[in-house]
Amino acid sequence: MSTSPDKAEAFRALHLGRPQDDPLVLPGPWDAASARAFAEAGFPALATPSAGVAAALGYEDGHTPADEMFAAVARIARAVDVPVSADVEGGYGIAPKELVERLLAAGAVGCNIEDSAEGVLKDPREHAEYLAEFCSAAAGRLFLNARVDTFVHGDGDPERAVERAAAYIAAGAGCVYPILAPVDALPVLRAGIEGPLNALALLDGDGPGPAALGGLGATRITFGPQLQRRATAAARELAAGLR
């Protein structure tokens, strides 16, 4: 299976020109069955969470072998007709051109790439160069969502996040993702970042919902591994009832 250029372009178009309060909501499937459930519910595209896929494969977050992650992404992309973006963590040490080819071979239309490794932020200039090589090799066939880990492994300064995001956008990223950015930082991020902005929505009323996040400036909403964890909790409850 390989990525359809039309599907990749459709995925890119979903990010553009969105009205405030109507961000693109992308559920995170962890296997083919969950992908089908989300697609059948009417979501126009999906974005795999590396932690959710890792859990489904029996690994701790950050410890999934690259071959297994790409195989899982391929099963998910093959199971649905909607575009699928893949979380490939920090790129698994794979050279940009090879990473592009592996994503395309898996049927992905885009990906997340983190800017930290083992809990430490990467040098933003070096990482921007890596992303620029990736985008050059992709030649428009993949939509890059560049993760900014300032609020996870950095000092949490929104202005520093804006600086890193600007470098990644200049490198060719179509969207940036300051993961775990606090709600009150979103207006600052929106004011300083050009183009689509990904925010993490929390379930169970622990934070603003997608529409509210959209009102604060987010144009793309993802959930990380929360949906997979919710499904696992439901399976535990079901199992307990069978005893």
Side-chain angles (χ1 to χ4, degrees):
M1 179 179 183
S2 60
T3 300
S4 160
D6 290 343
K7 189 176 288 187
E9 184 55 38
F11 184 65
R12 181 177 291 102
L14 287 172
H15 291 78
L16 305 176
R18 303 200 68 87
Q20 195 171 22
D21 301 337
D22 184 28
L24 173 63
V25 178
L26 300 176
W30 54 94
D31 61 12
S34 60
R36 286 195 181 107
F38 295 140
E40 289 169 1
F43 289 98
L46 308 174
T48 69
S50 62
V53 174
L57 295 174
Y59 293 102
E60 294 295 323
D61 184 23
H63 291 82
T64 308
D67 287 349
E68 293 200 41
M69 183 63 75
F70 286 113
V73 170
R75 287 191 293 271
I76 289 168
R78 188 168 56 242
V80 295
D81 292 328
V82 300
V84 174
S85 183
D87 184 342
V88 292
E89 303 181 88
Y92 306 110
I94 299 172
K97 183 177 180 181
E98 181 184 350
L99 183 58
V100 166
E101 295 307 319
R102 296 196 70 171
L103 283 161
L104 292 173
V109 300
C111 69
N112 284 13
I113 299 179
E114 302 169 5
D115 71 342
S116 64
E118 299 182 355
V120 178
L121 288 174
K122 298 177 181 177
D123 179 276
R125 290 189 181 89
E126 292 179 1
H127 189 58
E129 290 175 0
Y130 179 91
L131 297 183
E133 289 185 43
F134 175 90
C135 292
S136 177
R141 297 174 294 172
L142 293 168
F143 184 89
L144 172 61
N145 186 36
R147 211 175 87 170
V148 179
D149 288 358
T150 308
F151 299 99
V152 183
H153 302 305
D155 60 9
D157 182 349
E159 294 299 337
R160 201 173 303 274
V162 167
E163 291 173 2
R164 297 177 78 90
Y168 306 156
I169 292 169
C175 183
V176 290
Y177 180 19
I179 189 171
L180 293 181
V183 172
D184 58 6
L186 283 177
V188 177
L189 296 171
R190 176 69 285 164
I193 294 173
E194 296 183 9
L197 175 65
N198 192 156
L200 179 74
L202 301 177
L203 301 178
D204 301 320
D206 290 333
L213 290 171
L216 292 169
T219 52
R220 165 171 160 159
I221 305 297
T222 52
F223 303 90
Q226 295 176 88
L227 300 170
Q228 184 273 331
R229 290 172 180 170
R230 176 76 68 85
T232 298
R236 289 195 184 101
E237 183 177 349
L238 176 61
L242 297 176
R243 290 180 61 83

